[in-house]
């Protein structure tokens, strides 16, 4: 990557890979990355270990290596295995949190689809794919159930937010109870669950080399049902997905209704993942044609209208309003006076990001970490945009990472705006929870994005911060404060995805070849034509 001084750090990884006597997998699998793509990027040229796997197997699996893993790794694996959920003797997922000190269980004892993703990746990277296969099959069975909220029937393709296994010791039976949003706060169905399911199915296929699961009639039908929901025609004039507040990781009212970046990035990644797994039969080809058209429109829309850098901010600042006809430059009629003051100081000369939301007369300029990291991994961001996102993280480290990685969004909303946007939510107070809180689970996404853009040193710096606190603090769900210094006021301890996120980040950094299961290279067909800025006169 031009202008990035990371050759020495990559070289260190290569030397380490040669020195380590890696344990072999007890199953055969294909390498989980695209050799050609990585060689084109100019990184990981010597990370060549077919059949090899990460050395973080279980606590002391690296004992024979010349370098000892961080002591937190063993503790993390023990905690992750304690969170396993079994259905009829088979592991089918991990609970959200294993916090015995908490009096209120609420739904933290359930298996959440989005929460299980980092756990699944940890097990895949460790050569334990069975639990992931069980989870994928069980959730696709749940998808087939009739879903009702009050008297309204949900779409057939809707995936559950979570499920719980009920054990009856007397009858010796196991029963699964699923939640499609009817029990959730706000009664909102999870839009992201279906996308994460497709992305995880591809990760399983890439990691194991086993295409038979994705090719089963159940999985093929499941993908088509999910795609039918999000590719259906309606009244929209944009290729982005219209969503309600609380339909993703930000699952409470936070002003992300409309076209949130997190959903659009996951949507893009799920479409591209499905393209690689759908069968080339009559039904599959029909969906592929629809996917190709949507991807082309979606990538252009996101790269053109959601992208913000210094030049684009200056263009918006100079926008004219009330333009009519197809030649309008200010296509969404955004009023320049609505640009918040903070963004002028926040935007560096070098760097950029996908803003939180774009809809008629409204631009949400907030930074959202998950959406931007997924945009890099899915190649929704061009290589230049990906590099700019990483530049921004480096330039605004104190604001976006602080003392505990990673800020879910920036900045926090406060005062009158907080009352209007959140409805006076006592959980999303200033610099807490979804309102500018710091979430350790996002560490794995940041690490993956860093590796893909050739900047592993950023990931190392973030991991070092996490290792200084996470274990000592009992693996909290989130941290509060402008710099993420304090354990969240309502944060659960032993939060499973905080544990799994750390393990995945460590394993990605140790063996970058794992990146292939969660990364997609740029599709040349969706690359936009570079045009001169509208502000050029």
């Amino acid at each position: 990557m031009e202008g990035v001084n990371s050759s020495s750090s990559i070289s260190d990884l290569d030397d380490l890979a040669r020195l380590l006597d890696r344990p072999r997998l007890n199953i055969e699998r294909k390498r989980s990355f695209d050799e050609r793509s990585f060689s084109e990027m100019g990184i990981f040229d010597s990370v060549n270990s077919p059949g090899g796997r990460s050395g973080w197997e279980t606590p002391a699996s690296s004992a024979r290596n010349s370098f000892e893993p961080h002591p937190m790794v063993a503790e993390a694996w023990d905690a992750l295995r304690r969170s396993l959920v079994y259905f009829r003797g088979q592991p089918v997922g991990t609970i959200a949190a294993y916090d015995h000190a908490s009096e209120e269980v609420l739904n933290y004892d359930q298996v959440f689809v989005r929460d299980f993703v980092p756990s699944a990746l940890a097990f895949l990277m460790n050569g334990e794919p069975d639990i992931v296969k069980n989870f994928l099959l069980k959730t696709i069975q749940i998808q087939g159930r009739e879903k009702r909220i009050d008297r309204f029937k949900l779409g057939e393709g809707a995936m559950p937010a979570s499920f719980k296994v009920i054990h009856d010791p007397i009858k010796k039976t196991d029963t699964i109870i699923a939640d499609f949003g009817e029990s959730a706060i706000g009664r909102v169905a999870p839009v992201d669950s279906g996308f994460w399911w497709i992305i995880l199915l591809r990760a399983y296929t890439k990691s194991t080399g086993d295409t038979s699961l994705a090719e089963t009639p159940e999985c093929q039908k499941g993908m088509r049902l999910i795609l039918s929901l999000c590719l259906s025609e309606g009244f929209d004039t944009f290729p982005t997905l219209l969503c309600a507040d609380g339909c993703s990781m930000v699952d409470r009212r936070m002003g992300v209704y409309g076209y949130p970046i997190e959903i659009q990035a996951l949507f893009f990644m799920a479409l591209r993942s499905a393209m690689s797994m759908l069968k080339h039969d009559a039904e599959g080809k029909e969906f592929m044609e629809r996917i190709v058209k949507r991807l082309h429109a979606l990538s252009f829309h996101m790269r053109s209208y959601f992208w913000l850098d210094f030049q684009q901010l200056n263009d918006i600042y100079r926008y004219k309003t009330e333009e009519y006809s197809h030649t309008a430059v200010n296509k969404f009629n955004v009023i320049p006076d609505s640009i918040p003051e903070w963004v002028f100081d926040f935007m560096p000369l070098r760097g950029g990001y996908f803003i939180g939301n774009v809809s008629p007369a409204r631009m949400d300029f907030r930074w959202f970490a998950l959406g931007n990291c997924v945009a890099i991994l899915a190649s929704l961001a061009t290589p230049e945009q990906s590099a700019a996102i990483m530049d921004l993280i480096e330039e605004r480290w104190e604001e976006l990472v602080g003392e505990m990685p990673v800020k879910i969004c920036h900045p926090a909303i406060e005062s009158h705006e907080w009352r209007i946007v959140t409805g006076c939510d006592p959980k999303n107070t200033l610099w807490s929870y979804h309102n500018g809180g710091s979430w350790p689970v996002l560490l794995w996404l940041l690490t993956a994005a860093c590796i893909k853009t050739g900047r592993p040193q950023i990931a190392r710096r973030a991991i070092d911060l996490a290792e200084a606190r996470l274990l000592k603090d009992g693996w909290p769900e989130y941290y509060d404060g402008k710099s993420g210094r304090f354990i969240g006021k309502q944060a659960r301890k032993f939060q499973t995805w905080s544990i799994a996120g750390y393990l995945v980040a460590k394993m990605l950094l140790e063996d970058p070849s794992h990146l292939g299961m969660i990364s997609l290279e740029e599709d040349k067909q969706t690359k936009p034509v570079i045009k001169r800025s509208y502000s050029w006169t």
Side-chain angles (χ1 to χ4, degrees):
M1 289 292 180
E2 189 175 281
V4 178
N5 185 20
S6 59
S7 58
S8 61
S9 56
I10 296 296
S11 177
D12 292 343
L13 278 174
D14 295 343
D15 293 340
L16 181 61
R18 296 189 197 98
L19 287 170
L20 294 178
D21 176 22
R22 299 180 184 275
R24 294 285 176 179
L25 275 172
N26 55 7
I27 59 171
E28 293 184 1
R29 70 169 173 91
K30 296 179 181 178
R31 292 172 66 192
S32 64
F33 66 104
D34 186 332
E35 300 172 36
R36 178 185 53 79
S37 300
F38 278 136
S39 63
E40 286 176 356
M41 291 166 63
I43 57 176
F44 314 140
D45 291 337
S46 62
V47 182
N48 238 343
S49 54
R53 73 165 171 196
S54 164
W56 307 113
E57 183 181 30
T58 283
S61 66
S62 297
R64 56 183 172 169
N65 294 336
S66 54
F67 301 97
E68 287 295 324
H70 195 282
M72 273 179 63
V73 172
E75 297 280 354
W77 273 113
D78 287 343
L80 182 60
R81 296 191 190 283
R82 283 197 302 271
S83 71
L84 285 170
V85 173
Y86 292 84
F87 178 76
R88 296 174 184 171
Q90 296 295 319
V92 292
T94 51
I95 58 173
Y98 192 76
D99 187 359
H100 289 303
S102 178
E103 295 179 1
E104 285 187 298
V105 175
L106 296 178
N107 57 357
Y108 283 83
D109 61 344
Q110 297 185 22
V111 179
F112 280 81
V113 173
R114 77 174 68 93
D115 290 39
F116 180 67
V117 171
S119 295
L121 295 175
F123 286 118
L124 286 174
M125 292 177 186
N126 199 45
E128 301 177 62
D130 288 347
I131 182 176
V132 183
K133 183 176 182 178
N134 295 341
F135 169 85
L136 290 166
L137 289 172
K138 187 54 60 181
T139 45
I140 210 64
Q141 289 173 11
I142 296 171
Q143 182 199 41
R145 298 180 180 180
E146 184 176 274
K147 302 168 275 285
R148 285 185 179 274
I149 296 181
D150 293 333
R151 298 181 181 182
F152 183 72
K153 184 179 178 182
L154 274 68
E156 193 179 358
M159 294 292 282
S162 62
F163 66 86
K164 183 176 182 178
V165 178
I166 306 296
H167 300 282
D168 188 330
I170 299 174
K171 295 181 180 179
K172 296 182 179 180
T173 58
D174 288 347
T175 307
I176 284 184
I177 298 176
D179 177 17
F180 291 90
E182 69 270 28
S183 300
I185 296 171
R187 303 299 186 265
V188 179
V191 176
D192 63 339
S193 285
F195 299 151
W196 279 123
W197 187 89
I198 291 175
I199 293 165
L200 186 55
L201 179 61
R202 177 188 175 272
Y204 171 88
T205 303
K206 293 285 287 185
S207 175
T208 63
D210 174 21
T211 60
S212 62
L213 178 62
E215 291 172 353
T216 59
E218 295 82 6
C219 287
Q220 289 289 311
K221 181 183 178 182
M223 279 191 285
R224 291 196 301 268
L225 288 175
I226 295 168
L227 294 171
S228 293
L229 276 181
C230 54
L231 293 175
S232 58
E233 295 179 350
F235 293 100
D236 248 321
T237 54
F238 314 132
T240 42
L241 278 182
L242 181 63
C243 304
D245 239 339
C247 67
S248 58
M249 179 182 175
V250 181
D251 59 1
R252 299 168 75 92
R253 184 173 158 190
M254 269 293 293
V256 296
Y257 60 88
Y259 307 91
I261 178 60
E262 176 179 338
I263 291 297
Q264 313 315 320
L266 288 171
F267 179 33
F268 185 86
M269 191 169 191
L271 289 179
R272 291 198 62 196
S273 298
M275 274 282 290
S276 66
M277 296 184 291
L278 284 170
K279 285 186 176 180
H280 291 262
D281 53 19
E283 287 183 298
K285 285 183 178 179
E286 178 191 352
F287 275 99
M288 286 181 187
E289 290 174 3
R290 294 168 67 185
I291 289 172
V292 168
K293 291 179 181 178
R294 191 60 169 264
L295 283 173
H296 187 73
L298 183 60
S299 60
F300 175 82
H301 184 90
M302 297 298 296
R303 293 167 180 174
S304 301
Y305 306 124
F306 273 68
W307 180 253
L308 188 74
D309 54 20
F310 185 85
Q311 180 61 57
Q312 183 65 10
L313 178 60
N314 206 159
D315 290 349
I316 297 169
Y317 176 69
R318 290 164 49 83
Y319 269 168
K320 294 178 181 179
T321 59
E322 310 303 325
E323 293 179 301
Y324 183 78
S325 87
H326 64 277
T327 60
V329 174
N330 185 2
K331 294 186 178 182
F332 297 93
N333 197 35
V334 175
I335 312 300
D337 287 346
S338 70
I339 303 174
E341 288 293 330
W342 65 264
V343 77
F344 293 105
D345 294 326
F346 177 73
M347 179 59 70
L349 289 172
R350 186 175 66 101
Y353 65 104
F354 290 101
I355 64 175
N357 221 311
V358 176
S359 58
R362 175 178 178 243
M363 298 182 83
D364 182 351
F365 289 91
R366 285 177 295 176
W367 152 274
F368 288 87
L370 193 152
N372 277 274
C373 288
V374 171
I376 291 175
L377 295 176
S379 289
L380 172 58
T382 65
E384 296 78 14
Q385 288 173 336
S386 296
I389 292 171
M390 302 312 297
D391 288 341
L392 179 77
I393 292 173
E394 287 191 297
E395 291 281 341
R396 296 291 178 259
W397 183 266
E398 292 304 318
E399 292 90 339
L400 304 182
V401 180
E403 297 185 30
M404 176 55 66
V406 177
K407 283 287 176 192
I408 189 171
C409 71
H410 177 85
I413 52 178
E414 56 183 312
S415 303
H416 181 65
E417 185 184 13
W418 169 79
R419 287 191 289 272
I420 297 298
V421 172
T422 73
C424 300
D425 187 348
K427 198 165 186 178
N428 277 328
T429 52
L430 185 64
W431 300 114
S432 181
Y433 204 52
H434 298 139
N435 189 17
S438 299
W439 291 69
V441 63
L442 297 173
L443 185 62
W444 80 265
L445 282 161
L446 175 63
T447 300
C450 289
I451 293 172
K452 184 170 183 181
T453 53
R455 313 231 191 145
Q457 70 278 7
I458 299 178
R460 286 198 195 95
R461 185 180 175 190
I463 290 172
D464 287 345
L465 285 173
E467 286 180 337
R469 293 280 307 272
L470 271 182
L471 178 60
K472 181 177 66 175
D473 293 342
W475 307 100
E477 179 183 11
Y478 64 94
Y479 285 77
D480 284 354
K482 197 168 185 177
S483 61
R485 181 179 296 178
F486 303 99
I487 298 173
K489 59 185 175 183
Q490 295 187 42
R492 299 302 170 108
K493 297 291 187 74
F494 292 94
Q495 186 79 13
T496 304
W497 69 354
S498 295
I499 298 164
Y502 165 73
L503 284 173
V504 172
K506 291 288 283 187
M507 288 190 281
L508 279 170
L509 205 54
E510 185 217 29
D511 185 357
S513 70
H514 289 310
L515 183 66
M517 71 174 78
I518 48 168
S519 174
L520 293 156
E521 293 311 303
E522 187 178 18
D523 185 349
K524 303 301 180 183
Q525 292 182 343
T526 61
K527 190 172 184 179
V529 177
I530 303 300
K531 295 182 180 180
R532 180 175 288 177
S533 170
Y534 285 118
S535 65
W536 187 279
T537 55

